[in-house]
Every structure is written in structure tokens, then in C-alpha cells.
Amino acid sequence: MGFLADALSRVKPSATIAMTQKARELKASGVDVISLSVGEPDFDTPDHIKEAAIDAIRRGETKYPPVSGINPLREAIVKKFKRENGLDYKVSQTIVGTGGKHVIYNALLATLNPGDEVVIPRPYWVSYPEMVILCGGTPVFADTDMAHDFKLQPEELERVITGKTKWIILNSPSNPSGAAYTRDEMKKITDVLMRHPQVWVLTDDMYEHLTYGDFEFVTPAQVEPGLYERTLTMNGVSKAYAMTGWRIGYAAGPEPLIKAMDFVQGQQTSGASSISQWAAVAALDGTQEHLARFKAAFQERRDLVVSMLNQSNGLKCPTPEGAFYVYPSCADLIGKTTETGKTIGSDEDFVTELLQAEGVAAVHGSAFGLGPNLRISYATSNKTLEEACRRIQRFCGSLR
């Protein structure tokens, strides 16, 4: 009998974390590396949020917080969902966790039994299937393609739902593709779900505020009120408020589910950092002026990266509606040979050789369940992105 849990043998390490760490190590050894592998805004947390945290420290808000979150933050969450999404929740229907990942994990841990299936559209954030497996469930993948902008089609969703399906995880805008569902597209998905009352909906709305142009963000329970009683709407302050290190995610949903998640969290981590929670109150209740600045900068970066990647030999890059990622296809480069004589046999080979040859770190699409693609984060400066894209163009042009 082995000492470690058998479940660990079925779980893959995070490819995004692995590539980011590899880039850090190369940079520390003196290599000129540009990392486009990390999903983190390069902006600083807005000052009014930092000041709220400092004020909380000075007030002595440094004791154990309630497991589900401090009441002012839960009240701010209720107001946020009403103000921005038209969703009515009570404070008792909300919960705060140590980041969005923690909230999702607790929801799955509180609900999954062996044999329960969770539908995950691919490409997916790398942690979704691994969390399902760790919680005893079975991930079932629904396919998308570039022709439909990596958005789940209702026919495919209908195909993968079975009597064992307990959840579907919907992420819009998407990590890794940046794809986001319009109201009409989301309605087609929710229409399918209305025909399958055993399926609950777990939304990951972390990139809600990072959509571009005239795109209107919607979340499933907003589009289809009939799903309200079986939807957990998850969000957080990491991306839109540049608060990745503060580690605050939150969700709202049916009270029995929230109570079950509270029960799990009470035996796991207890409440999230009290100081971070007070900062999150300021984020949700305070001025939102920085959002327009963030969005304008990210949209400019997106357009720059899409244009330059599409000028690279062999890459095809669609224009995503949101988040800060692009997901270009490198299919036309599979089978090509590098200047050092190595054959590009997969998207993982592509990103490995790109890092070695040009010092640009990206993440292979197969890690997100769909290749041959690569995920590139444009959450860095225009100058850095221009240099990175020039290196990518040079690498693609060197393949024979």
C-alpha cells in the first residue's frame, strides 16, 4: 500500500505554473526571457483598495473572520450581483473563499460522489478537471473549435449530458481562449440545461469586467431565471481589481449549497484573510473608475498581439471578446523543423522550442485540452508584447 493518495496519480500538475516557473528559472540564470505564460494583470492594485486594507490593520481587524466571510463583504457581494447582474441574493446565500479556485473546489468537494460527472467545455482552465478528479468526480469534456470561436454549441452540450451529470462549469470570458458568450449564445446553452433538471451550473465569471468594444457580459442565471435555484455564480477581485495576491473569491447560490460549502471550509481553511476581505469591500463598494483604464489598455494590447501573431508564418489567431489571452493555432507548423534540427511534433514542442530559441514563454494548448494551439497572455506592456511578438515571428519564420 502506497503512502500517497491514489488520486494524486490521476492528477496532472498545472502547466501554466510549470511554464511560469521554468521561465523564472531561466531568467534567474541570466537568459533574456519574456514570460507570456502567467494570467496576472501587470497593473497595481488601485490605491483606495490598498488604503482600505491599511485602515483595517490600524483598526485591529486582524482576528479570525467568520468562515463564510465578514458581513460587510457579503453585503457588498449582494449589492454587486444586484447592481451589475440583476441577481437577487440574501447575505446568507453568499460565501467568501481564498480565491476563486478555492470557491470552486469547495463546491465540488461538497457535492460530488464517485461516478458523478462534471461537464467541462474545452479548451478549459487547467485546474477544472483536476479539481473534479480530486473531489471524486469524473470530468466529461465538451468540444469546441476555432470555427465557433471556441464557444460551446448547444448540440455538443446535449450530446455529453448523461443521467450522471451533476455540474457544468461555464467560464466566460474564457481562460485560455478569451471567448465570451453573447446573450443569445448563452440562452441557447441555458435552454439545453433547462431540459436537464439534474444538472447544476457552476459559473466562473472572474473575467467579467474585461470584455472589449460593445460586448455585453451576461451570466447564466441572469439570462435564464429558471436556473437560479441550481446555479452557483462565482466571481472574485483578482483580475478586474489587480488583486491576485490578495486571494479573495466569492460566490452566491442556493442556501443549502452555501451552507455545505461553509461546512467544508470550516474544517479546511476557515475564513479568508481578514485584511484582504476589508480590501475587497472597498473594491466592490468603491469607485470603479480604474476599470475603463484597464479595459482600454487590455483592448489595445489584444489588438496589437492579434495583428502581429497573424503576421507570423503559420499562426492563425482569432480575436477574443474578453480576458487577457489569445489562443492561436500552430497547426500549420506541426511537422516543421527548427534551425537546430528538432521536429515540431506538437504544440508542446512548439512552446518548448520557442522558449529555448527566443526566450518567449507561452503555454501549450494541449494542457488546456485543445491543441495544436498555444495560450499567450497579453497582461504586460505594449513594448514587451511587441518584442515578444517579433521574437515569435522570427521563430516561426525560421522553421523549415
Side-chain angles (χ1 to χ4, degrees), residues 337-357:
T337 304
T338 68
E339 291 181 325
T340 59
K342 295 184 179 178
T343 300
I344 304 296
S346 65
D347 50 12
E348 186 169 7
D349 289 342
F350 182 90
V351 298
T352 299
E353 294 305 316
L354 173 64
L355 180 60
Q356 292 296 325

Side-chain angles (χ1 to χ4, degrees), residues 295-311:
K295 288 176 68 166
F298 281 132
Q299 182 167 342
E300 183 178 348
R301 295 170 181 183
R302 178 201 65 175
D303 294 345
L304 167 68
V305 170
V306 168
S307 175
M308 291 190 73
L309 291 180
N310 279 324
Q311 295 172 49

Side-chain angles (χ1 to χ4, degrees), residues 84-292:
E84 298 180 352
N85 309 112
L87 293 172
D88 290 306
Y89 291 107
K90 297 179 293 184
V91 167
S92 58
Q93 291 178 277
T94 65
I95 191 166
V96 178
T98 306
K101 181 184 288 189
H102 186 215
V103 174
I104 296 171
Y105 188 89
N106 283 352
L108 297 174
L109 189 59
T111 58
L112 291 181
N113 294 308
D116 288 342
E117 296 177 351
V118 179
V119 171
I120 303 173
R122 56 183 169 191
Y124 46 72
W125 182 41
V126 293
S127 292
Y128 294 149
E130 312 312 321
M131 287 192 286
V132 170
I133 292 169
L134 280 170
C135 292
T138 302
V140 174
F141 301 110
D143 291 323
T144 71
D145 55 42
M146 190 181 290
H148 293 98
D149 298 319
F150 303 113
K151 298 177 190 180
L152 177 62
Q153 298 302 296
E155 299 81 8
E156 174 66 5
L157 176 57
E158 190 77 63
R159 184 186 70 82
V160 298
I161 290 176
T162 73
K164 296 179 180 180
T165 307
K166 181 167 278 187
W167 286 100
I168 178 173
I169 300 178
L170 288 174
N171 176 211
S172 173
S174 162
N175 175 7
S177 71
Y181 293 82
T182 66
R183 181 175 291 270
D184 287 345
E185 289 166 340
M186 186 67 79
K187 185 64 167 63
K188 291 176 182 177
I189 297 299
T190 60
D191 284 348
V192 174
L193 295 170
M194 287 298 291
R195 295 195 290 271
H196 298 277
Q198 85 279 12
V199 182
W200 282 56
V201 185
L202 203 170
T203 77
D204 182 347
D205 296 347
M206 194 63 73
Y207 297 91
E208 170 185 1
H209 292 294
L210 300 180
T211 60
Y212 309 117
D214 297 326
F215 189 90
E216 176 199 359
F217 171 83
V218 291
T219 195
Q222 174 187 13
V223 172
E224 177 47 74
L227 290 173
Y228 176 89
E229 292 295 340
R230 50 187 171 107
T231 297
L232 182 70
T233 303
M234 189 281 287
N235 211 312
V237 295
S238 296
K239 312 301 182 179
Y241 299 92
M243 294 176 67
T244 50
W246 298 78
R247 307 310 302 135
I248 294 293
Y250 60 83
E255 199 163 326
L257 173 60
I258 297 299
K259 286 182 177 179
M261 293 168 64
D262 174 88
F263 177 78
V264 168
Q265 190 163 307
Q267 296 293 0
Q268 183 193 63
T269 60
S270 294
S273 162
S274 59
I275 305 307
S276 294
Q277 289 194 57
W278 282 104
V281 172
L284 296 184
D285 278 350
T287 177
Q288 308 293 303
E289 290 178 354
H290 71 283
L291 290 178

